[in-house]
Every structure is written in structure tokens, then in C-alpha cells.
Amino acid sequence: MRHILRLAMCLAVALLGTLPTAAFDVITAPENVNAVNLTGVVDIVPGDAGKVQLSTAAGEDGIIRRIEVLASVGGSNPNWALFALRNDSDVQLERLLVAPYFRLPGSGVFRPDLGAERIKVLTPSAGLRPTRLTDREADVFEVVIDPGATVTFVAELSNGSLPELYLWKPDAYRDYVNSFTLFRGVVLGVAALAAVFLTVMFVVRGRGVFPATAAFSWAVLIYLLVDFGVLGPLLGISNGSVQPFRAAAEAGIATTLFGFLFIYLNLHRWHLRFIHLALALVVVFLALFGFAFFQPSIAATVARLVLALLGITGFFLILLLALRGYDRAVLLVPTWIIYIAWLFYAWLVVTGQVSNDVAQPAVAGGLVLIVMLLGFTAVQHAFSEGQVTIGTLSEVERRALALTGSGDFVFDWNIERDRISVSDELGTRLGERRGALRGSIKRWLDRIHAEDRDRFRTAFDTLVELRRGKVSTDVRLTAHDGSFRTFRMRVKPVLGGDGQVNRIVGTLQDVNEDRASRERLLHDAVHDSLTGLPNKQLFLDRLERALVRARLPNGIKPAVFLIDIDRFTELEERVGHSAADSVLLAISRRVARVMRPLDTVARLGGDQFGVILASEQAAGKIAETAEQIRKALKSPFNFGERDLSLTASIGVTIYDGNPVSSPDVLRDAELAMYYAKRLGGDRIEAFRASARSIAAYSKAGEEDLDRGLRHGELSVLFQPIMDIHAGTIAGCEALMRWNHPQRGVVAPEEFVPLAERTGLIERLGRVAFEQAAGQAREWAASLPLPEDFFVSVNLSPSQLATESLLNDMRALVSDHRQIARHIKLEITESQVMSNPEHSAYVLNALRQLGLRLALDDFGTGHSSLSYLHRFPFDTIKIPAAFVQLSDDSGMSHTQVPIIRAIITLASELDLSVIAEGVETIEEIERLQQLNCQYAQGFAFGAAMTGQDLGKRLQSQFSGK
């Protein structure tokens, strides 16, 4: 029996060893101390299946009791806070246990503690049950400790932690709370007033930085409402549940402070990238604001780091701009230094290095101070820039400000005293010393340009005599350096008490630059921009005036020359546009040197020049002058290291006194010039009546071509393009022919230029494309055409330059979509190089339609290699001039390497090469040796109808 009793005692001791023991310290509740910090003696233990078992602290009798406390909510397993209090006095003590929801000191930077309800239930081991008291910012329990008693308290925690716990005397706690009430009221009032004031400044009068400053002040106000426990009751929630609002408020402060800094410093004006960066950051900050309601601690971490980053980067940015003399940055330097000091103190607080009672209120007060300083800085800058005005302006003040803003100068002539007063700025504008322009009207008349004095004197005399009206006129005043500046004077009379004019007042506006600009515009409107010579409009005007004078008795009858440079287009293709412009400028100077003061030289357009010769009347002298011009132009032009020789065709007409207009006289000279060109150029031809038949013929030709297009007289023939290695037809080129009912077959060299001059080239191009595409579709339907078979269609220079080409091609391709891959458009190199940028755009668009592109006459331009990679060609064509060379010509030894280089270049660029103008077997063999794959010319057959070429294709395919 004794063994059984001993065994039971051992088991009891073992069980007692498994229960929590009184490992915590017992704190004596002092009778005369207002508050005791219990945080360091509180033990936090985890729950065990919704309960906690512990041994209480030993009482004065030394007895340790074992108790078990269950969670207030079934199924939960909270953490528990354990601590013990002793009353060594002989009186009963009433104390308050206070667990604050939020304390900024020690809250941390990373995943900070944003506050929460701390204690759900407080259970004592003995004595009266603690009473929960209502408090907005803490869990407060009233406890009673009997004399000599030791009470162990078990607190069921709401969120698993208890950062701080205080034991307060009730009266002392109420005094503590009340002591901060006045401070918080003042801080909230100042913050609210600042927010309202800045908002009013923005709405009523302010601009620029006021909305950003107002937004920052409202964000600070909302943060203070959360921090002071005011927002929770306003929203109907406990202050222990405002963590998302606290995190959102901190994010709002960071966002609005960034916005203020960006707007105040006008960073968007420094670089466009700053706007993109600011917009991206605003999106991130707005996302952070929303994220605060899901992960408050993470959002608060980011917000606090952003505030620190803004302080550091903002300081260096403001310092950099201030050193560069930026006024806004200079005004912001003191405020930003205080902001950095506030950041440092806030860091000490949140890391727990400063944790006294005034730490948290000091941080809040510092925020309000920063709001006040930023608002003061914004208002100061607004006043300094005149963005804000106080009070209303009188009409006189408003007019004075308007006059100052307009930049005009005041003019005042006191007639009774004969004294003129003007703005001092006018003297500065004219380079005179201060007050030099004041004095009598006579001194002013001496300063006015001689041609303007009578008009000035008459205007003023009229105002004095009529005693009403206004004058607005331009006058030129002498500057200190002797030059003249033009001013627009607007004045009106002022009547005295006797009804007479006693002064004339108004303004002077400097219009010197405007007048110079207007004169330049007028000059440019009637003069050629390259040569400075009169243009065609001014030439015809002067010619019309010369004709009017010629009809008067003994009037001088003018002679008119029309000068056209022979083969100037070829020169332009050879030397380039810039060099050709230099040649035109030299031509204009040579012609002008031959003329006399009564004569007029004009550039009528392109390479045509016109002359009105009024200084000579005799026919022999007129012919001699024309010959001088021809010889002057024939003299070589020095261009770099080479000389350029030009010739000109000159048409001459002499006015015969009959009623005729200036365009008719110019047309007569033009007809004479064309006659000179038909005779080979480099000659002078006088107008004769029979030359008018040329114009009639041109008109008839235009009507004839239009009729031919309407009646289907124009058709295409097809010249085969051979694969000279395989001996097969690889494609063909569509060549337009005009079967005229009276004239027979008209060559393209005659009707294509006519179509370009008359505007029929677009219709002609559409006809060629439609017929070629239609024939290709017919072949594709009846013959097994290979995928790489092509039909080439030529584009004229004017077609490529038209805006309607792409639209026409889109419409035509939509009608022949299945055969678009078989169509190849040929464009000459000179066409492409006339406007490379436009050509690149058009060619890429044509390529996207599925059409293939060939570069015709390759190697004849001046910059083909440098631009070849920019254009989407798949084929280049070697002109006949490179191909048609015999071995005994003495030039094949230079041309063959050129052809070999072109073929090698095309191979590297993955381009096909077609040699044109092949007429002999020797040329075919040479091209085969040079590894040229395709060729065309009379050696393979002349151009033929689509039916004949179809038979050859049928024979070729059937032979396979």
C-alpha cells in the first residue's frame, strides 16, 4: 500500500512539472506613481487548444495555485499575456490597465505595426473581475487589488501581440489624455485651415502649384485624423481597425508630396521623359493607395521608403537647380532642409530610439509645419510671379497694366506747353539716353523721316482743327546710330474745359520687325527664291506695264526673250539637284550682267528665263543683245574640278503695237524658243506668224490623244525577256503603242511626253496596267505559268510623283488580285532620285500590294549605290548603253568590269539583273560569261501582240 502511495506522489510531481510555472516577475503596484510600464514583464504564451493552463504567482501565504482559462470564443486558439501585480500597501488600490491600439515609437519601417485591438478579455486569478472602460485609442480595464494581495492576470490577446501595456492611476490617465487634447485640436485646426486656404487659392485665383500643395495638405489632414483617433468614429468603426486607412493616408502623403515636387519645379519642362516617368509613378502610387486596403503593412512600408527616397533625391535635385539659379528651387531649399530633419527624427521614432510620450505628437506637429512651409513657399512664389493679386483693380490701374503688358510706348503732346513726353523705354529702344526724346514738337519733327513729316504734321493739324477722331499711321524715327525704326502711332485728341484740344495722347508700337517681315513676304511672293530674280507673275505684270507705255505716242516698244537651257534635265541627273541649282544661279547672274537698268530679267520656272528688253529699239541691237546672252551662257561653268558647257535656245519677239496681252506676247516668244529647239538648240529664233501653228498642232495633238484613249487606239505589245542560260522566256515587258487611224503607229517618244504635258499620263498609265494585267490573267488561265513569270509595266516620272498613284494601284490590284505577283513595275533611277523620301514611301506601299519592282536605267544616276538599299526593288536593269559595245570600240575593257560589278552587287543584295538592248550573239555570249541571267532586245524578238507571245509560251511549255 505504501508503494502504491509513493508511486502516486511521483506521478503527481511529474504532472506538475508539465504545467506552466510562475516564470514571470511579480510587479508591485506603487501607491504614489502615476504610471508603470508593464511591457517588459509580460509573458506571451501560445494557446493550447483554446485554453491556457498556468501556475499563479505565489501569494503572501506562499501558495501557488493552478488555473485554466478558456478562450472567449469557442474554436479559437489565441495567444495569452501573463503578468502578476502585488499590493504591498494596507489600502485597496484601483488602477487602469491600458494597452494602446497604436504607438508610432517602435512601430518599425519594414512591415510596421499599424495598430489593432490588443486585449479581448482580462481574467484575474483572484478578486473582482476587471471592468472594460470605453476609450477611443486603447483597451482600458479597471482593476482592483486588495491590500497585501498578489493577483495573476491572464489577458486573451486579439491579434497575438501586445507591444505596450501600462498600469495607470485613473486620475493620472485622464489628465494624460486631456493634456494632448488641446495640442491635437490646435494641430488639426491649423492643418484644416491650411488645406482650406490652399484649396480656395487654387479655386478662386491661384494657378500652377496650388492644387498640388492643397492635395498634400489634405493628405496630411487625413493622416492626422487617423492618428488622433477621429476618423474611426466618423466612419463608424473602431480605431483598432483603421490600419488600411492609416496605410492609405501614408501612401497619400507620399503621392501628393511627389506631385508637389514635380509640379513646383516644373520638371516636365526640363525633358519630355520626365512626364512619362511622372505618369508611371502616379499610376504606381495610385495602385499603392488601393493596395493599402489589402496589405496595409506592405503599403505602409513602401510609403515610408518613398518618403525617405523623396527626401534624399529631392534634396540633390533642388540643390542642383538652386545652384543653376532656378528661383523656385532656391525658395524651396529651407523647407526641404526642415523636411529632411523631420525625416531623421521620424526614423528615430519608428525605430524605437526615441519613445517618450511627446515623440508621436512631435512627428504630427512636424508634418503640419511642413505643410505650412510648403504653402508659404507656393504663395510667395505665386506673388513674386504675379500669379496672385490682392484686391480689385481700378479701371485706370487695369488700363495701365494692359499698356505695360502690350509693350507699347506712351506718347503725350501737351499743346499748351508744347512739350512731348514719351516712355523712357522708347529712348532705350532707339539707343538714346534717358529723357532725350522729350521736348517741343519741332524737335520731334526733326527725328521723323523726311518722307513721313508732312503726313505726321497734317494728321496732328487735323486732330487739333476737328477736335475729334483718331489717327493710326506708321512713322519712322531716327535711332542714335542714324538708322530708322518704324513705329505705329495711334493717337487721339483730349479736350480741355474750354472745348479746345489741349493735348494729344496715344501709343507708339514698334512694328519694325513686322514691317520688315511683310516686305520680305511681298518680295518673296513675286521673286524667285533661288536666284532672287522676279518670278513669272511679276514678269507678266512688268510686261503688261511696258505694253501700256508702248501704246503711247513715241512709246518704247519692248522686245521679249525666252531663254531655255538645252538638255538641262540630263545635267541635273548627272550632277544632282544642289549642283544644278548652283548652275541656275550662275546662269541668272550671267544674263543679268548683259542687261541694262531699264531691262528686266526673270526666272519663269525650271530652266527657263525671260527678258524684257526696253533699252534697245533697233532690230540689230536686239539681235546683238540676244547673241551676247547666248555666248555668255555657252562659256564653260567651272564646277569643282571640271567645266560644264551649256547651250540655250532663245526665242525673241518684238511688240508690234497691236492690242495684245502680256501672256500672248510671252507665248509668241515661247513658240519661237520651241522652234529654235526643233532646229537643234543653241540658236536664236525670232517669232514668226507661222510658229502659231505649232501651238495649234500641240492643242490638236492633245485632243487627238484624248480621243485615242477613249476609242481604244492605244494598246500594249510585249517584248520577251529571256533567261539566257536556260534559253526560255522568263517574262516580258509591256510597251505602249498608238495605232493612229491617219498617222499609223505613233512612237512612245512622241505621245508619252504629250500625255505628261497635258495631264493625260495617269489615264495612259491605267490603260497600260489594265491591258498588261488582263493579258497576264488570260495567260495564267490558259497556260501553266511559273510562279516567277512576270510582266513589266513602265511608270512615267509624273505618275510616280502624283498623289493618286497608290489609290489607282490599289483599285487595279483589287480587280486583278490573282495575278498581282506576276506584275513588275519599272521605275527609272532618275524618277526615284528626284524625291527619295517620297519615292521610298510610295515604293514600299506598292510592294505591300504584292507588286514586284524593277529599277530601270541602273547606273545612269548620281547616287544609285548610296540609296539602293533604301528602296524595295527586286530587279535592276542594265541600260543598253552598257550592253551594246563591240570589242573594237575601245571601251569594252572599261564597261565589262562595270557590268560585272553591277551583277556581283545584285547577287549580294539578292536582286535579279536584266540586260536591255541585246541585239547580237556576241552580246549574249558576253552576258553569259558575266553570269547575267536575264536579257531582252531585238536579239530575242521585237515587241509582239499578247496572242503571238502566248503562242511562243505555249510552244515553250509544251516542249517541256
Side-chain angles (χ1 to χ4, degrees):
M1 188 66 179
R2 283 182 299 187
H3 293 291
I4 294 174
L5 182 60
R6 290 177 180 175
L7 181 60
M9 292 176 64
C10 291
L11 289 173
V13 171
L15 287 174
L16 288 174
T18 62
L19 296 175
T21 60
F24 41 80
D25 297 329
V26 178
I27 300 299
T28 300
E31 185 177 0
N32 298 318
V33 177
N34 290 334
V36 178
N37 190 347
L38 304 180
T39 306
V41 298
V42 175
D43 290 342
I44 307 298
V45 297
D48 182 13
K51 64 181 183 299
V52 65
Q53 296 177 346
L54 70 154
S55 297
T56 64
E60 61 181 359
D61 55 3
I63 298 175
I64 298 177
R65 297 176 178 83
R66 295 185 301 278
I67 61 175
E68 179 180 273
V69 181
L70 300 177
S72 60
V73 179
S76 62
N77 188 30
N79 289 348
W80 304 84
L82 311 178
F83 58 94
L85 299 178
R86 176 185 296 124
N87 181 8
D88 290 337
S89 67
D90 54 359
V91 297
Q92 190 180 58
L93 296 179
E94 294 182 2
R95 293 290 186 268
L96 298 180
L97 284 171
V98 180
Y101 294 152
F102 173 73
R103 288 276 292 172
L104 185 63
S107 61
V109 177
F110 299 97
R111 299 186 71 91
D113 183 357
L114 300 178
E117 295 180 351
R118 302 301 182 182
I119 299 176
K120 184 176 293 186
V121 178
L122 183 63
T123 304
S125 62
L128 298 175
R129 187 176 187 84
T131 303
R132 178 186 284 274
L133 302 181
T134 302
D135 193 283
R136 294 193 308 178
E137 300 180 44
D139 289 322
V140 180
F141 292 88
E142 184 179 24
V143 298
V144 178
I145 306 174
D146 294 329
T150 299
V151 182
T152 300
F153 291 92
V154 181
E156 180 183 343
L157 302 182
S158 298
N159 69 338
S161 65
L162 186 63
E164 292 185 344
L165 182 65
Y166 297 91
L167 182 67
W168 281 89
K169 292 176 66 175
D171 293 338
Y173 180 68
R174 283 190 291 271
D175 293 339
Y176 172 78
V177 173
N178 293 334
S179 65
F180 287 104
T181 301
L182 178 60
F183 171 78
R184 291 179 174 180
V186 172
V187 170
L188 282 176
V190 172
L193 284 174
V196 171
F197 170 75
L198 293 171
T199 303
V200 170
M201 292 292 291
F202 162 59
V203 173
V204 178
R205 288 183 177 272
R207 292 178 297 169
V209 78
F210 284 122
T213 315
F216 177 68
S217 62
W218 282 110
V220 171
L221 179 61
I222 293 173
Y223 174 81
L224 294 177
L225 291 175
V226 175
D227 194 52
F228 293 167
V230 179
L231 185 64
L234 291 177
L235 299 178
I237 60 177
S238 169
N239 283 324
S241 304
V242 294
Q243 300 94 328
F245 296 97
R246 187 182 301 278
E250 293 183 5
I253 292 175
T255 303
T256 53
L257 183 60
F258 169 77
F260 167 82
L261 190 64
F262 185 85
I263 294 175
Y264 179 80
L265 295 178
N266 280 334
L267 295 183
H268 61 283
R269 297 184 180 178
W270 297 97
H271 200 284
L272 181 62
R273 295 294 183 188
F274 286 170
I275 299 179
H276 301 159
L277 177 62
L279 292 176
L281 290 177
V282 167
V283 172
V284 172
F285 288 149
L286 291 177
L288 178 65
F289 185 81
F291 187 67
F293 290 90
F294 298 96
Q295 293 289 340
S297 60
I298 298 178
T301 300
V302 175
R304 294 181 181 186
L305 291 176
V306 168
L307 286 173
L309 185 62
L310 278 176
I312 298 172
T313 57
F315 176 77
F316 288 107
L317 179 61
I318 292 169
L319 185 62
L320 175 63
L321 296 179
L323 292 176
R324 291 186 176 183
Y326 189 42
D327 292 341
R328 293 193 175 196
V330 173
L331 292 174
L332 197 58
V333 169
T335 303
W336 212 257
I337 292 175
I338 294 175
Y339 172 64
I340 292 177
W342 176 84
L343 279 177
F344 178 71
Y345 180 75
W347 174 75
L348 294 178
V349 173
V350 297
T351 56
Q353 300 180 57
V354 176
S355 59
N356 52 50
D357 291 339
V358 299
Q360 187 168 342
V363 172
L367 263 181
V368 176
L369 177 62
I370 292 172
V371 169
M372 297 296 294
L373 291 174
L374 291 180
F376 175 77
T377 303
V379 172
Q380 181 186 13
H381 182 75
F383 274 99
S384 65
E385 287 192 345
Q387 294 181 358
V388 179
T389 59
I390 297 178
T392 59
L393 296 175
S394 67
E395 187 64 22
V396 174
E397 291 174 329
R398 186 175 291 106
R399 290 188 178 185
L401 287 175
L403 182 60
T404 302
S406 67
D408 294 348
F409 308 106
V410 176
F411 175 88
D412 179 16
W413 178 32
N414 189 323
I415 298 177
E416 295 179 353
R417 299 175 55 191
D418 189 21
R419 181 174 178 81
I420 291 180
S421 300
V422 294
S423 302
D424 292 333
E425 291 80 2
L426 178 60
T428 304
R429 184 67 56 88
L430 295 175
E432 298 287 358
R433 58 181 176 79
R434 192 181 189 91
L437 300 180
R438 297 175 182 175
S440 65
I441 190 67
K442 184 179 182 304
R443 291 182 58 188
W444 251 80
L445 285 174
D446 294 339
R447 281 193 166 274
I448 296 176
H449 194 283
E451 297 178 1
D452 299 338
R453 289 174 189 168
D454 290 340
R455 186 174 70 254
F456 177 85
R457 185 184 295 107
T458 302
F460 273 49
D461 290 343
T462 303
L463 290 177
V464 173
E465 181 179 353
L466 297 179
R467 294 177 292 178
R468 56 186 173 84
K470 296 180 180 179
V471 169
S472 179
T473 184
D474 290 351
V475 295
R476 287 166 287 181
L477 299 179
T478 308
H480 182 72
D481 58 0
S483 63
F484 288 92
R485 292 191 70 89
T486 304
F487 293 86
R488 180 158 298 148
M489 174 177 284
R490 296 187 181 96
V491 293
K492 62 183 297 185
V494 177
L495 303 182
D498 56 356
Q500 299 298 318
V501 177
N502 59 11
R503 64 194 322 136
I504 294 178
V505 297
T507 61
L508 290 168
Q509 180 185 9
D510 190 348
V511 294
N512 198 69
E513 299 298 332
D514 294 342
R515 182 165 182 151
S517 299
R518 186 167 63 251
E519 290 176 353
R520 282 196 299 271
L521 288 175
L522 291 175
H523 179 274
D524 294 344
V526 293
H527 287 79
D528 178 56
S529 59
L530 174 63
T531 62
L533 296 176
N535 61 13
K536 186 175 183 179
Q537 180 181 358
L538 183 57
F539 179 84
L540 291 175
D541 181 76
R542 292 185 179 179
L543 179 57
E544 190 68 40
R545 294 173 182 271
L547 297 179
V548 172
R549 290 193 299 270
R551 298 187 189 106
L552 299 175
N554 300 321
I556 298 176
K557 294 180 173 54
V560 177
F561 299 170
L562 185 64
I563 306 167
D564 188 274
I565 308 303
D566 298 329
R567 293 178 295 279
F568 188 79
T569 302
E570 298 177 9
L571 172 69
E572 189 175 24
E573 293 178 357
R574 190 166 69 250
V575 302
H577 295 292
S578 298
D581 288 345
S582 300
V583 173
L584 288 174
L585 184 59
I587 290 173
S588 67
R589 291 175 177 173
R590 288 191 181 184
V591 175
R593 281 197 292 267
V594 178
M595 298 296 102
R596 296 181 181 179
L598 293 178
D599 305 328
T600 296
V601 181
R603 184 187 178 197
L604 305 182
D607 57 345
Q608 287 189 352
F609 295 85
V611 173
I612 303 174
L613 187 67
S615 59
E616 300 290 351
Q617 292 290 293
K621 291 292 185 180
I622 293 174
E624 183 180 342
T625 303
E627 181 65 19
Q628 289 178 3
I629 294 175
R630 189 188 70 83
K631 290 181 178 179
L633 297 181
K634 196 170 184 179
S635 299
F637 292 85
N638 182 265
F639 185 74
E641 298 179 354
R642 55 179 174 171
D643 292 335
L644 299 177
S645 296
L646 296 177
T647 60
S649 299
I650 303 177
V652 180
T653 183
I654 302 175
Y655 179 57
D656 54 8
N658 294 324
V660 68
S661 64
S662 57
D664 293 334
V665 175
L666 180 62
R667 184 199 58 197
D668 291 345
E670 184 179 14
L671 292 175
M673 180 271 295
Y674 281 128
Y675 187 73
K677 277 191 173 294
R678 290 180 62 187
L679 296 178
D682 189 22
R683 61 189 296 120
I684 303 168
E685 289 293 330
F687 170 75
R688 60 199 72 183
S690 61
R692 288 197 175 94
S693 62
I694 300 176
Y697 176 79
S698 178
K699 182 66 176 177
E702 177 184 350
E703 295 174 351
D704 217 14
L705 179 59
D706 180 66
R707 180 194 53 77
L709 288 170
R710 287 186 282 105
H711 290 81
E713 296 175 2
L714 288 99
S715 60
V716 294
L717 300 180
F718 300 91
Q719 185 176 39
I721 297 176
M722 303 294 295
D723 184 338
I724 58 178
H725 294 282
T728 59
I729 300 176
C732 59
E733 181 177 353
L735 303 173
M736 180 66 75
R737 295 293 185 267
W738 184 6
N739 297 310
H740 196 279
Q742 286 82 31
R743 300 170 58 193
V745 178
V746 181
E749 292 78 8
E750 181 176 348
F751 68 80
V752 170
L754 177 62
E756 291 180 340
R757 289 196 306 270
T758 58
L760 296 174
I761 190 62
E762 294 184 31
R763 288 175 56 189
L764 187 64
R766 282 196 294 269
V767 169
F769 188 92
E770 289 175 350
Q771 291 187 12
Q775 184 62 66
R777 182 169 56 186
E778 182 179 333
W779 286 336
S782 60
L783 299 173
L785 290 180
E787 286 293 326
D788 56 354
F789 184 84
F790 58 89
V791 178
S792 296
V793 182
N794 289 280
L795 288 181
S796 73
S798 57
Q799 276 183 283
L800 188 64
T802 59
E803 299 292 336
S804 59
L805 175 63
L806 287 179
N807 292 331
D808 291 344
M809 286 299 164
R810 291 190 182 100
L812 294 172
V813 167
S814 64
D815 296 336
H816 307 279
R817 190 172 301 277
Q818 299 301 323
I819 53 88
R821 64 181 183 276
H822 293 300
I823 301 298
K824 180 178 294 187
L825 300 179
E826 291 190 9
I827 301 98
T828 64
E829 185 177 348
S830 60
Q831 290 175 250
V832 173
M833 296 311 301
S834 63
N835 190 342
E837 300 297 333
H838 177 72
S839 300
Y841 168 75
V842 173
L843 295 178
N844 280 300
L846 293 174
R847 186 71 174 182
Q848 292 174 2
L849 293 176
L851 300 171
R852 299 157 71 179
L853 301 173
L855 181 61
D856 201 3
D857 294 341
F858 180 75
T860 60
H862 59 276
S863 56
S864 54
L865 297 182
S866 62
Y867 279 89
L868 186 60
H869 69 283
R870 296 184 53 188
F871 305 116
F873 292 108
D874 51 61
T875 303
I876 56 178
K877 302 188 73 173
I878 304 176
F882 287 155
V883 177
Q884 296 173 354
L885 294 173
S886 59
D887 290 336
D888 57 356
S889 65
M891 297 180 61
S892 60
H893 69 283
T894 59
Q895 294 300 87
V896 169
I898 293 177
I899 298 176
R900 182 183 293 111
I902 294 175
I903 295 173
T904 303
L905 173 65
S907 176
E908 293 293 332
L909 297 177
D910 197 23
L911 301 176
S912 301
V913 178
I914 300 175
E916 294 183 295
V918 180
E919 297 181 354
T920 64
I921 299 298
E922 290 79 4
E923 292 169 353
I924 297 175
E925 292 174 350
R926 182 189 303 140
L927 291 172
Q928 288 175 334
Q929 294 172 0
L930 294 174
N931 201 28
C932 179
Q933 186 172 2
Y934 302 108
Q936 71 178 100
F938 288 106
F940 309 108
M944 62 191 72
T945 64
Q947 183 178 3
D948 292 340
L949 183 60
K951 292 179 181 179
R952 290 187 59 176
L953 291 173
Q954 179 68 40
S955 175
Q956 175 179 306
F957 296 143
S958 62
K960 292 182 178 181

